Amino acid sequence: AEKYQTTPTGLASSWILRHPANMQVIAGSMNLGRIEEIAKAADIVISREDWYDIYRAAGNVFRKKILILVKIQRVLLIDFGI
């Protein structure tokens, strides 16, 4: 976060906004300071190398969660005919 002169919240929000799947940030905060940090994240340009470093540091947790969700949805589709 220091490298980009932002907070951890700002860096995390910027990371999400730069995700290849064009994700959006949903802020569930009533804290004006936190909302400002998230809004400023749109102006932060994270290098591709740093983006992937953060991705790898997270242990690909996001990918695993998405794969689990996809598997759960397939089970629901089969079991309930949705």
Side-chain angles (χ1 to χ4, degrees):
E2 290 177 22
K3 178 178 179 178
Y4 291 97
Q5 300 174 354
T6 188
T7 63
T9 298
L11 185 61
S13 299
S14 180
W15 186 89
I16 291 169
L17 291 171
R18 301 303 180 265
H19 194 282
N22 294 321
M23 296 177 160
Q24 298 299 311
V25 176
I26 299 175
S29 179
M30 297 295 289
N31 180 306
L32 183 58
R34 180 143 313 144
I35 293 169
E36 288 173 349
E37 292 172 15
I38 294 167
K40 290 178 183 177
D43 297 327
I44 300 169
V45 180
I46 299 176
S47 72
R48 184 173 292 183
E49 182 179 349
D50 287 345
W51 191 94
Y52 279 104
D53 285 346
I54 295 168
Y55 179 76
R56 285 190 293 269
N60 295 319
V61 173
F62 299 109
R63 183 171 179 241
K64 290 177 186 175
K65 286 183 181 178
I66 291 170
L67 290 175
I68 291 168
L69 179 59
V70 168
K71 289 178 183 178
I72 291 170
Q73 286 177 340
R74 287 183 184 156
V75 171
L76 291 174
L77 289 172
I78 292 168
D79 290 347
F80 300 104
I82 297 173

